[in-house]
C-alpha cells in the first residue's frame, strides 16, 4: 500500500493536469487549448504512458491502472489522432482528393464511357432500322407511354410539363426516387467491378441500350432535338456520374485482373481507396442530377434554357475534374 501511495503522490499532479487539458479539449474543442497546453500535452502524455507501464509491471492498485489506461487512450487521440474537422475533411475531398482520383482514372473513365455510349449507339441504330428491336429490348408493357406506337403529340407530352401540373411535394418525392434509382445503378457499376470488371461492363452497356432505344423512338418521330434537351438538362451530370462509378469499378477490376507482383487481394485493396473516392463523389453528382431532373426538367419547358443548363454543367464538371489545380507556391 505504501508503494502505491508514493507512486501516486509523485505523479498524480501531472495526471490531473493532463486530465484537465483533455477535459477542456473534449468540452470546447482543441481550439480552446492555450499554447502552453499544446506544448505540455505530448510531454504529459508520455509521462502518463510511462506511469501506466510502471503500474502494470509492479501490479499496483487496479483502480490506478484502469484510470491511467483511460487517460492514455483519451490523450492518444489528441496527440496522434486526426486534427482536421469534418468540414476541413470535406473541403479537402472536394478541393483535391476527388478530382485527383478522377484524373488518375482517365483510361478507366474512357472505357466506361465506351460501354455506356457504345451500347446506346448500338441500340439507337438498330431501332432506327427496325423498331421491333425496341420491343425486344423493353418487352411488351401496356403502361409505358414512350413506345414506337405512341403518336408525336403523346411523346411530346412526356417531355414538357404544363404549369401547375406537378406540385412541390410530388417533385420532392420524385427527386428522392430518382436519386435512389440512379444511385443503385452507379453503386452496382462500382461494386461489381471486383469480378474483373465484367459485370460493370455489362451493366453500363445495358443501361446504354435502354437509353439508346428510347432515344430512337423520339428521333424517329422528329423529336430528337426536344428529347435531347429534356435528357441532357440532368443527363450530363447523371450520365457522367454513372460513367465515373463504372470507372471506379474498372479500377478495381483491373487491379484484380492484373495484380502484377502483388497478390490479387493486396492489389484490389490498394486500388480500392482511389476507386472508393471516385464512387463517393458520384453520390454528390447524383444528388445534383436528381434535383435537376425532378425540379429543373419538370419546371423548365424552354429548350434553349435546358440546353444552356446542360452546357453549363458539362463545362463545370470537365473544368472541375480535368483543369490542373493551381497549388500554393507553384
Amino acid at each position: 500500500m505504501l508503494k502505491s501511495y508514493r507512486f501516486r503522490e509523485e505523479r498524480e499532479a501531472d495526471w490531473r493536469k493532463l486530465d484537465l487539458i483533455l477535459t477542456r479539449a473534449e468540452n470546447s474543442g482543441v481550439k480552446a487549448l492555450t499554447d502552453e497546453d499544446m506544448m505540455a500535452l505530448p510531454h504529459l502524455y508520455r509521462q502518463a504512458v510511462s506511469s501506466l507501464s510502471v503500474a502494470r509491471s509492479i501490479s499496483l492498485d487496479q483502480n490506478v491502472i484502469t484510470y491511467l489506461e483511460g487517460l492514455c487512450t483519451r490523450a492518444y487521440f489528441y496527440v496522434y489522432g486526426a486534427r482536421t474537422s469534418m468540414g476541413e475533411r470535406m473541403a479537402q475531398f472536394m478541393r483535391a482528393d476527388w478530382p485527383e482520383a478522377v484524373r488518375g482514372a482517365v483510361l478507366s473513365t474512357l472505357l466506361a464511357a465506351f460501354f455506356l455510349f457504345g451500347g446506346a449507339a448500338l441500340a439507337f441504330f438498330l431501332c432506327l432500322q427496325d423498331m421491333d428491336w425496341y420491343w425486344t429490348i423493353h418487352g411488351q408493357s401496356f403502361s409505358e407511354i414512350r413506345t414506337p406506337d405512341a403518336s408525336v403529340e403523346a411523346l411530346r407530352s412526356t417531355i414538357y410539363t404544363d404549369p401547375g401540373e406537378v406540385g412541390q411535394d410530388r417533385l420532392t418525392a420524385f427527386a428522392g426516387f430518382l436519386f435512389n434509382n440512379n444511385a443503385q445503378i452507379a453503386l452496382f457499376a462500382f461494386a461489381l467491378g471486383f469480378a474483373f470488371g465484367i459485370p460493370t461492363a455489362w451493366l453500363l452497356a445495358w443501361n446504354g441500350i435502354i437509353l439508346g432505344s428510347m432515344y430512337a423512338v423520339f428521333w424517329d418521330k422528329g423529336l430528337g432535338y426536344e428529347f435531347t434537351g429534356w435528357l441532357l438538362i440532368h443527363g450530363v451530370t447523371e450520365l457522367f456520374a454513372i460513367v465515373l462509378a463504372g470507372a471506379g469499378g474498372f479500377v478495381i477490376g483491373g487491379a484484380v485482373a492484373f495484380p502484377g507482383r502483388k497478390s490479387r487481394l493486396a492489389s484490389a485493396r490498394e486500388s480500392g481507396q482511389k476507386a472508393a473516392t471516385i464512387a463517393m463523389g458520384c453520390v454528390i453528382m447524383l444528388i445534383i442530377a436528381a434535383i435537376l431532373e425532378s425540379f429543373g426538367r419538370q419546371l423548365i419547358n424552354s429548350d434553349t434554357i435546358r440546353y444552356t443548363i446542360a452546357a453549363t454543367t458539362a463545362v463545370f464538371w470537365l473544368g472541375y475534374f480535368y483543369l490542373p489545380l493551381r497549388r500554393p507556391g507553384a
Side-chain angles (χ1 to χ4, degrees), residues 282-300:
C282 291
V283 175
I284 298 172
M285 297 180 73
L286 290 173
I287 292 173
I288 297 172
I291 293 172
L292 287 173
E293 186 171 6
S294 58
F295 289 90
R297 194 179 70 180
Q298 305 301 324
L299 299 177
I300 298 173

Side-chain angles (χ1 to χ4, degrees), residues 111 115 189 192-204 246 249-254 256-257:
L111 187 61
F115 280 106
L192 295 176
F194 74 92
F196 305 104
I198 296 174
T200 297
W202 179 86
L203 185 63
L204 290 171
F250 284 134
V251 168
I252 295 179
V256 174

Side-chain angles (χ1 to χ4, degrees), residues 219-242:
W219 185 276
D220 189 55
K221 300 289 184 177
L223 295 172
Y225 175 79
E226 293 85 347
F227 182 75
T228 303
W230 176 85
L231 175 66
L232 291 186
I233 186 173
H234 73 284
V236 170
T237 302
E238 178 183 296
L239 296 177
F240 205 164
I242 292 174

Side-chain angles (χ1 to χ4, degrees), residues 12 42 49 119 126 159 162 166 189 255 268 270 292 294 328:
E12 192 169 10
V49 171
L126 285 175
I159 55 179
D162 294 332
V166 183
E270 186 175 299
L292 287 173
S294 58

Side-chain angles (χ1 to χ4, degrees), residues 4-290:
S4 177
Y5 175 78
R6 288 180 176 174
F7 179 82
R8 292 188 55 171
E9 187 179 45
E10 292 172 357
R11 296 167 175 82
E12 192 169 10
D14 289 337
W15 301 347
R16 291 189 179 282
K17 186 176 182 181
L18 177 60
D19 197 349
L20 183 64
I21 293 174
L22 294 176
T23 301
R24 190 184 306 132
E26 289 164 351
N27 293 335
S28 305
V30 178
K31 293 181 179 178
L33 301 182
T34 64
D35 292 341
E36 290 75 14
D37 292 335
M38 296 298 291
M39 294 289 291
L41 186 58
H43 174 67
L44 293 172
Y45 168 70
R46 287 193 293 271
Q47 282 191 329
V49 171
S50 175
S51 298
L52 177 60
S53 177
V54 173
R56 283 172 172 169
S57 64
I58 60 178
S59 300
L60 287 172
D61 185 355
Q62 184 59 41
N63 291 331
V64 173
I65 295 175
T66 302
Y67 170 76
L68 288 174
E69 287 176 341
L71 187 65
C72 291
T73 301
R74 292 165 60 200
Y76 178 86
F77 174 79
Y78 289 99
V79 174
Y80 296 109
R83 295 178 175 81
T84 56
S85 65
M86 182 60 71
E88 290 170 335
R89 290 184 182 182
M90 282 298 298
Q92 172 68 19
F93 177 80
M94 297 297 296
R95 185 175 59 250
D97 295 348
W98 183 25
E100 286 178 359
V102 170
R103 279 196 298 276
V106 172
L107 292 179
S108 297
T109 303
L110 293 175
L111 187 61
F114 170 78
F115 280 106
L116 181 65
F117 296 111
L122 176 64
F124 176 74
F125 289 112
L126 285 175
C127 289
L128 282 186
Q129 291 181 358
D130 184 355
M131 275 298 168
D132 284 344
W133 278 104
Y134 177 89
W135 301 112
T136 302
I137 295 168
H138 291 264
Q140 294 284 348
S141 176
F142 295 105
S143 60
E144 180 59 55
I145 299 176
R146 303 182 183 97
T147 70
D149 294 339
S151 65
V152 173
E153 289 308 315
L155 291 176
R156 188 189 299 276
S157 69
T158 65
I159 55 179
Y160 296 106
T161 306
D162 294 332
E165 181 180 340
V166 183
Q168 189 76 17
D169 294 341
R170 186 177 169 187
L171 289 174
T172 303
F174 192 41
F177 167 76
L178 294 172
F179 172 74
N180 288 331
N181 180 66
N182 296 332
Q184 286 181 8
I185 296 173
L187 292 180
F188 270 123
F190 163 71
L192 295 176
F194 74 92
F196 305 104
I198 296 174
T200 297
W202 179 86
L203 185 63
L204 290 171
W206 177 247
N207 279 277
I209 288 171
I210 297 292
L211 175 65
S213 60
M214 183 180 294
Y215 196 82
V217 170
F218 284 84
W219 185 276
D220 189 55
K221 300 289 184 177
L223 295 172
Y225 175 79
E226 293 85 347
F227 182 75
T228 303
W230 176 85
L231 175 66
L232 291 186
I233 186 173
H234 73 284
V236 170
T237 302
E238 178 183 296
L239 296 177
F240 205 164
I242 292 174
V243 165
L244 290 180
F250 284 134
V251 168
I252 295 179
V256 174
F258 308 103
R261 296 183 178 180
K262 304 173 186 173
S263 67
R264 295 190 189 280
L265 183 61
S267 179
R269 188 187 302 118
E270 186 175 299
S271 300
Q273 184 175 1
K274 181 171 71 174
T277 301
I278 296 174
M280 284 191 294
C282 291
V283 175
I284 298 172
M285 297 180 73
L286 290 173
I287 292 173
I288 297 172

